[in-house]
Amino acid sequence: MAPSSFVPISNTVCVMDASGCLGASLVKRLLQRGYIVHAALQHPLCEVEELKGLCKDEKERLKVFQCDVLCYQSIVDALKGCFGLFYNFELPHDQPIYDEDMVETEIRAAHNVLEACAQVDTIDKVVFTSSITAVIWNEDRTSISSSHLNEKYWSDISLCRKFKLWHAISKTLAEKTAWALAMDRGISMVTVNAGLVMDNRLSIAHPYLKGASEMYRDGVLVTVDLEFLVDAHICVFEDVSAYGRYLCFNHVITCPDDAIKFAKLLLPSASVQPQSFGEDCKVIEPKISNKKLSKLIMEFESHNLDEDSNQLLFTNY
């Protein structure tokens, strides 16, 4: 029997936006765990490859909503009857880049979603996906010695604007907007600040990667496997002791060999040699910590259900 600190696995949740790889993977994992899922999509279901091949029972528990995060009523419609929300912002297909305009769009979307959650009285908890880029870009990270960057740190907007780190600006301001509304409206919210998600769509053009060489040098270039990220979301949702922010990654790139493998993954046709990293090929000390999530996962795993279909698979952690 699961302890009282864990939410029973039943009822209805919403995944918004379910159009991308994270959202679609969350939908599938939640269906596997027995949830009824409202999949709120920016784009038609037929365009989401990850949602194909569901079994009959899963299809019966899946309800699809066309949702525009800039349209308040469409958000409310998708949330009706749900007791939980998994929210992650996906770039529109017609504007797949981060710039100053996209910053405003993501902030407005976060505001609309949290405001809608406050108006839907069945919503009990929100899991808001943010990014490690909302944490690492600040002037004092290079002076950190005995401690590591953790959940208490926020990226410095002035610094980010100076170097046009639009992804970091967008994620930081959207998350702060969400937290301000959650606290003002009394919404129970947890954020998952994800590292760079390793999936088959990853390319060198990903906006997270602007400033990657500085991240590597400072020991904060982190990645997360998609499956691990999905299960971490479910962990922080189902465990009612979860609170605040959680840095989510399961690999830190700290040595030239790892950096070369990473570069070749992003640019398969490029020739990347060890000398590209200069004379100093030492292993870099990681300067970022995920201890808070690690502790929660350990406690959560100790209370896993016996049925294989309902177990979360935290691998390579």
Side-chain angles (χ1 to χ4, degrees):
M1 181 177 178
S4 60
S5 61
F6 287 81
V7 177
I9 300 176
S10 63
N11 227 311
T12 304
V13 295
C14 178
V15 177
M16 183 186 300
D17 181 352
S19 299
C21 61
L22 172 58
S25 298
L26 266 170
V27 169
K28 291 186 73 173
R29 198 72 181 92
L30 289 161
L31 288 170
Q32 289 170 3
R33 291 177 73 76
Y35 287 96
I36 297 169
V37 180
H38 289 193
L41 305 170
Q42 288 191 68
H43 312 289
L45 180 61
C46 60
E47 295 183 14
V48 184
E49 289 293 328
E50 291 86 348
L51 293 183
K52 293 180 178 179
L54 299 176
C55 69
K56 181 179 178 182
D57 174 62
E58 290 171 340
K59 288 179 180 178
E60 289 174 350
R61 287 184 284 108
L62 174 64
K63 298 181 180 180
V64 179
F65 293 80
Q66 202 74 21
C67 181
D68 178 356
V69 289
L70 299 183
C71 174
Y72 179 80
Q73 190 56 51
S74 73
I75 300 170
V76 171
D77 290 342
L79 291 177
K80 284 180 180 176
C82 295
F83 84 110
L85 168 67
F86 295 84
Y87 172 73
N88 72 97
F89 179 80
E90 289 286 340
L91 288 172
H93 282 189
D94 60 350
Q95 192 181 356
I97 59 170
Y98 269 97
D99 55 19
E100 202 158 8
D101 290 336
M102 189 53 63
V103 170
E104 295 305 316
T105 298
E106 186 162 359
I107 293 170
R108 284 177 57 202
H111 181 278
N112 288 347
V113 169
L114 268 293
E115 191 63 66
C117 287
Q119 301 304 318
V120 176
D121 57 11
T122 57
I123 292 292
D124 185 64
K125 189 172 186 178
V126 175
V127 178
F128 186 100
T129 307
S130 186
S131 174
I132 292 289
T133 61
V135 175
I136 61 174
W137 292 107
N138 46 67
E139 294 282 9
D140 60 350
R141 82 177 187 201
T142 55
S143 64
I144 295 173
S145 55
S146 58
S147 61
H148 293 73
L149 287 172
N150 56 34
E151 288 77 9
K152 73 178 182 180
Y153 288 88
W154 288 89
S155 288
D156 184 315
I157 296 301
S158 297
L159 177 69
C160 292
R161 287 196 182 279
K162 179 180 178 181
F163 295 102
K164 297 184 178 180
L165 299 168
W166 299 118
H167 185 271
I169 294 171
S170 192
K171 295 301 179 185
T172 302
L173 294 180
E175 186 187 346
K176 285 189 172 185
T177 296
W179 276 118
L181 269 168
M183 289 186 283
D184 184 61
R185 304 291 194 271
I187 300 168
S188 175
M189 188 177 86
V190 178
T191 63
V192 176
N193 293 74
L196 180 66
V197 183
M198 303 300 288
D199 71 85
N200 56 14
R201 303 178 189 180
L202 184 61
S203 75
I204 192 66
H206 197 294
Y208 184 109
L209 289 167
K210 186 167 186 180
S213 59
E214 289 80 6
M215 293 185 217
Y216 172 72
R217 180 196 65 204
D218 295 341
V220 295
L221 181 55
V222 296
T223 64
V224 62
D225 297 329
L226 179 59
E227 182 178 329
F228 182 90
L229 179 60
V230 167
D231 284 353
H233 275 72
I234 295 173
C235 174
V236 302
F237 177 71
E238 292 185 359
D239 190 336
V240 297
S241 70
Y243 69 95
R245 308 169 86 200
Y246 287 88
L247 305 193
C248 185
F249 57 90
N250 57 353
H251 184 58
V252 187
I253 299 173
T254 59
C255 66
D257 284 347
D258 283 351
I260 290 170
K261 289 178 183 176
F262 183 61
K264 287 181 176 179
L265 176 68
L266 298 173
L267 293 167
S269 60
S271 176
V272 184
Q273 302 299 327
Q275 56 263 35
S276 303
F277 296 89
E279 296 180 1
D280 189 3
C281 289
K282 65 181 181 181
V283 174
I284 296 167
E285 179 189 356
K287 289 296 184 77
I288 188 166
S289 171
N290 58 1
K291 287 182 179 179
K292 184 182 177 187
L293 179 61
S294 179
K295 181 180 178 182
L296 189 76
I297 288 171
M298 289 178 63
E299 294 172 351
F300 189 86
E301 283 191 308
S302 70
H303 299 294
N304 262 346
L305 299 178
D306 292 334
E307 292 143 8
D308 290 343
S309 62
N310 283 331
Q311 288 181 350
L312 300 184
L313 304 173
F314 289 104
T315 56
N316 302 320
Y317 188 72

